[in-house]
Amino acid sequence: RILYMEKEIELLSQLDPNHPINYIDSHIEDDIQEHMTKMEEATLEELSALWHGQQGAINEQKLRFYESRLQDVQGSLDGPVALEHYGSCLDLIHEHCSVDSPGTAESNGRLEEVDFDKLDLGKWIEPAYHLANLLATTDRLTESKAWTEEILAEKPWHVGALSMMRIVCLRLNDEEAAMKWAVKGLPGLSPQSRTWRSEWVQENMDLAKEKLAELQKDLTDKIVAKIEISVRTTSGVMT
């Protein structure tokens, strides 16, 4: 997770208009805008690929298969196809994001039984994002909002989740919340928005670096704990 977070921070930095990859040797605004837009698309695609592949190629294939079936459940709410799809997503989330027994938990496909306190979505964020999208597609808007809030608590810079939260709030007729999340979204690349965008990138990079520091501390604590156990065991054998 540490290596993934380091790569994520690097990609976030590329969204800053002042990053070297966004430089083009031209003073023509249309050329500058076109170049920055291409770089943005490439960076967001890399971020998406990073998030999809966090649990290896086989699990990424499973997730992308579920994503490809999204149109099959549109508007079906609690039909058999939708219920199967909910269950498949939940099983993927519980298998890889459970705090208590990673890799062994079963969800039984029941959305109402999900305990977010027992999930660490940072282990693999994209299945939760897909589930939130699925819930929105099948008009389960309140549940979609709850999942999206959890995603954004883990990754406040998740551009897709920020956009979806705004749309879900609008569909729930909560214009105040929709405006709040719109302001939190990734600013555009117009000349007037670039300073704001740079500030957005810096703010979210700082948050990502805090997450990285937490992961590094957890790893260090685990290593120290193992060393201490080893030393105590060795000392016991010697005595």
Side-chain angles (χ1 to χ4, degrees), residues 18-74:
N18 296 318
H19 190 283
I21 71 163
N22 291 310
Y23 173 77
I24 181 174
D25 188 14
S26 173
H27 297 290
I28 301 173
E29 180 55 39
D30 286 349
D31 292 345
I32 296 171
Q33 186 82 18
E34 181 181 359
H35 175 73
M36 285 188 173
T37 299
K38 286 181 179 178
M39 294 300 99
E40 175 189 72
E41 291 172 354
T43 298
L44 292 178
E45 284 181 9
E46 282 194 69
L47 271 173
S48 178
L50 186 73
W51 291 333
H52 275 81
Q54 196 170 353
Q55 291 294 335
I58 293 176
N59 288 308
E60 179 179 355
Q61 287 176 359
K62 288 181 183 178
L63 177 58
R64 290 194 183 277
F65 171 71
Y66 298 149
E67 290 177 341
S68 71
R69 296 184 61 207
L70 190 60
Q71 63 181 4
D72 297 337
V73 300
Q74 189 166 2

Side-chain angles (χ1 to χ4, degrees), residues 123-143:
K123 293 179 179 179
W124 196 16
I125 203 78
E126 283 305 278
Y129 175 56
H130 173 62
L131 179 58
N133 197 1
L134 171 65
L135 289 164
T137 299
T138 53
D139 295 325
R140 297 176 69 158
L141 299 176
T142 300
E143 291 163 292

Side-chain angles (χ1 to χ4, degrees), residues 220-237:
T220 301
D221 290 346
K222 289 177 182 177
I223 292 172
V224 170
K226 287 183 179 180
I227 292 173
E228 290 176 347
I229 292 171
S230 178
V231 169
R232 286 199 298 270
T233 302
T234 303
S235 298
V237 171

Side-chain angles (χ1 to χ4, degrees), residues 101-113:
S101 304
T104 61
E106 294 290 339
S107 69
N108 298 319
R110 296 179 64 84
L111 287 162
E112 64 271 20
E113 294 180 357

Side-chain angles (χ1 to χ4, degrees), residues 9-10 31 45 59 73-74 83 97 101 148 153 159 215-216:
I9 292 169
E10 177 188 336
D31 292 345
E45 284 181 9
N59 288 308
V73 300
Q74 189 166 2
L83 290 174
C97 300
S101 304
T148 308
V159 176
L215 291 172
Q216 292 170 329

